[in-house]
Amino acid sequence: MDQVLLRNHQTLVGFSINRFETSKHMLPLVYGKGRTFTCSEEEAMSCYPGCLNSPIVKGKIVVCDDFNGKAEAFSAGAFGVLTPIRREVSMVTDQPWTGLDFQNFQTLILYLNSTRFPQAKFLKSKEIRNTSAPLVAPYSSRGPNIIAPSILKPDIVAPGAEILAAYPSQHSSPFYINSGTSMSCPHVSGASAYVKALYTNWSPAALKSALMTTATAMSPSENPEAEFAYGSGLLNPVKATNPGLIYDASEEDYLLFLCQSGYKKDLMVLISGNISYICQKEEEGSSIDVNYPAMQAMVAAEKPYNVTFKRLVTNVGVAGTTTTYTVKVATTKSMEVKVDLLLVLLMDMEFSSVKKLYIYGSIYPLSCLSFPCFQTPMCVLCFVFCAVVIFVFFICLLNRCGCELSLSQKLYHSPGNAPYIITTVLWVCCLQSGSCWYFL
């Protein structure tokens, strides 16, 4: 983090990595048309190439409306530059520069417009601990996957903001700090190589599965897009070496996935490298059945649905030991998820005793009026109960609340408004429950 001290004693907080000693005294701030003789005021404020007059800006702090204008300002002899920043990450600078977020940049502009002789000075950068981490960066891409809706994207999250990179800056600094996918990708690549060194016979799909299924869960409250922001979670290379179960897939599995996704013959020939490759008509199933370590399906909004995923898991636990795996499902009150296991194959592989099991998982809403609910006796009972309550309510309404709600003469007798009130409450509760299990 950087700080810029204004002459009016206000402090602006910015983003950059300034390694140099800044000036001991305040320097003039220059901004606007007064810095140029050849360009428009808007071009001068943005520091367009060729628009800054060197005698005017030399040795001063130049304010540019455009992030890219700092190169022109330094070329014209400016001591330092202040610009707005596109994303709130710091970069190594060879000359005094600080990027300001929208709020701090607006404060700067207000100061410039309120004084005849604006001045400022840079303070040296300092480190602070980001207590919100781990948090998906605002500039990181989000899902869902538009091209293949059955594949979750992103897959996983890895460190990618303000990473100490392995090359020096152009001039004075022996190191560089960078941000973006170009920084998170090496973390995942290194973790993959680390796991591959321990399991040399694993396929790329097996390595990817190990990384995804051992990732650390992240907070959906801190990341509103939830899985569409962080995928399966934060990368954990140590846990990835012992995933227990993996979702493996071969080249043929992915070709089948593309066939089921509607890819035509010409594309399949190019992708497979086989001029005779044809998607067989008898190939059944859905693109959601690809053996992927995440399960996702696109469904119609606010309508009942029933989705079944099929997965094949491989036990890669320690050879010669018995391992028990327990299925746990976290869901909402309006959803039901079932997992059925079927043991189909037992075989041995290098480094491990492998047991493959097919996993069939179903997910559907639990609304009393949803068709899938009638697959369970409890939901049918709930529907019948709701219907009876509504029927009693209308009878009471037609009789102007003169009916009696009693199971016997001794149980209850109330000829007044009580039946109307009771049945109204029951009816509202039934309609608002949303879930048979919740209501019962």
Side-chain angles (χ1 to χ4, degrees):
M1 304 292 290
D2 277 342
Q3 289 183 329
V4 178
L5 184 61
L6 303 179
R7 189 180 179 184
N8 65 354
H9 304 296
Q10 281 186 293
T11 300
L12 306 178
V13 178
F15 298 86
S16 67
I17 302 168
N18 293 322
R19 300 175 57 251
F20 41 79
E21 293 294 334
T22 57
S23 61
K24 296 180 180 180
H25 305 287
M26 293 277 182
L27 294 176
L29 285 168
V30 289
Y31 178 65
K33 187 173 176 57
R35 300 172 298 177
T36 182
F37 301 126
T38 57
C39 299
S40 67
E41 184 173 4
E42 291 75 17
E43 291 173 334
M45 292 168 66
S46 297
C47 303
Y48 277 12
C51 287
L52 298 184
N53 189 280
S54 181
I56 298 176
V57 303
K58 188 174 181 179
K60 301 175 183 178
I61 298 176
V62 177
V63 179
C64 300
D65 284 347
D66 191 335
F67 169 82
N68 294 319
K70 61 188 181 78
E72 171 65 15
F74 284 127
S75 177
F79 171 83
V81 182
L82 297 173
T83 72
I85 196 169
R86 299 170 182 171
R87 52 189 189 184
E88 297 178 5
V89 293
S90 298
M91 297 179 292
V92 176
T93 61
D94 298 317
Q95 295 168 290
W97 164 81
T98 293
L100 303 173
D101 61 17
F102 176 81
Q103 183 177 353
N104 279 273
F105 193 76
Q106 290 303 308
T107 300
L108 174 63
I109 299 301
L110 290 174
Y111 168 68
L112 290 170
N113 294 332
S114 64
T115 181
R116 294 183 60 186
F117 302 104
Q119 291 182 330
K121 75 172 183 177
F122 292 90
L123 302 181
K124 197 171 183 179
S125 299
K126 64 178 182 179
E127 294 181 5
I128 64 169
R129 179 170 179 81
N130 189 345
T131 57
S132 63
L135 186 70
V136 181
Y139 52 85
S140 181
S141 296
R142 263 61 171 180
N145 189 337
I146 299 176
I147 299 176
S150 58
I151 301 296
L152 176 66
K153 290 294 176 182
D155 298 295
I156 199 168
V157 172
E162 297 176 345
I163 303 301
L164 181 62
Y167 67 93
S169 62
Q170 295 180 355
H171 302 292
S172 60
S173 177
F175 63 89
Y176 198 74
I177 288 180
N178 213 339
S179 303
T181 307
S182 56
M183 294 291 100
S184 59
C185 180
H187 282 85
V188 179
S189 301
S192 301
Y194 174 54
V195 178
K196 180 71 172 178
L198 300 176
Y199 303 98
T200 57
N201 62 332
W202 278 15
S203 67
L207 296 172
K208 185 172 188 177
S209 173
L211 295 177
M212 290 178 62
T213 59
T214 58
T216 303
M218 296 182 67
S219 170
S221 62
E222 297 292 335
N223 302 274
E225 300 91 347
E227 286 81 5
F228 291 145
Y230 51 68
S232 55
L234 181 63
L235 179 72
N236 190 325
V238 175
K239 285 188 176 181
T241 62
N242 186 25
L245 299 174
I246 58 172
Y247 298 80
D248 201 1
S250 64
E251 178 183 340
E252 189 60 34
D253 292 324
Y254 279 99
L255 292 176
L256 175 61
F257 162 76
L258 295 177
C259 288
Q260 294 169 342
S261 299
Y263 278 61
K264 303 302 181 182
K265 178 181 177 180
D266 293 344
L267 284 175
M268 292 305 300
V269 168
L270 290 174
I271 294 171
S272 66
N274 182 356
I275 60 174
S276 60
Y277 189 91
I278 299 176
C279 293
Q280 301 298 324
K281 292 183 179 180
E282 61 270 15
E283 290 177 339
E284 299 180 355
S286 168
S287 60
I288 67 173
D289 292 335
V290 63
N291 210 43
Y292 206 70
M295 302 174 198
Q296 174 177 299
M298 181 180 290
V299 297
E302 300 181 359
K303 292 184 179 180
Y305 56 87
N306 189 334
V307 181
T308 299
F309 300 93
K310 299 177 183 179
R311 293 294 188 269
L312 180 66
V313 292
T314 303
N315 180 14
V316 292
V318 179
T321 62
T322 300
T323 306
T324 301
Y325 295 100
T326 303
V327 177
K328 293 183 180 180
V329 176
T331 184
T332 62
K333 294 177 180 179
S334 60
M335 306 285 293
E336 182 182 10
V337 179
K338 292 183 176 180
V339 180
D340 300 319
L341 303 180
L342 175 64
L343 181 64
V344 297
L345 181 62
L346 175 64
M347 60 180 294
D348 291 327
M349 284 181 62
E350 185 182 0
F351 303 117
S352 61
S353 174
V354 180
K355 297 179 181 178
K356 293 189 176 182
L357 301 89
Y358 279 108
I359 298 180
Y360 296 89
S362 298
I363 181 169
Y364 48 83
L366 284 173
S367 169
C368 292
L369 302 179
S370 297
F371 175 77
C373 271
F374 291 103
Q375 298 176 357
T376 60
M378 295 295 287
C379 274
V380 174
L381 184 62
C382 171
F383 178 78
V384 173
F385 182 74
C386 289
V388 171
V389 170
I390 295 173
F391 174 76
V392 173
F393 167 76
F394 280 111
I395 292 297
C396 288
L397 188 63
L398 291 175
N399 291 334
R400 295 186 179 181
C401 301
C403 62
E404 298 179 2
L405 184 65
S406 62
L407 297 177
S408 67
Q409 293 292 335
K410 296 181 180 180
L411 181 61
Y412 186 70
H413 182 80
S414 179
N417 290 330
Y420 173 78
I421 297 173
I422 294 173
T423 50
T424 300
V425 171
L426 290 174
W427 184 41
V428 172
C429 289
C430 182
L431 293 180
Q432 295 297 323
S433 65
S435 165
C436 298
W437 301 115
Y438 174 75
F439 184 79
L440 293 177

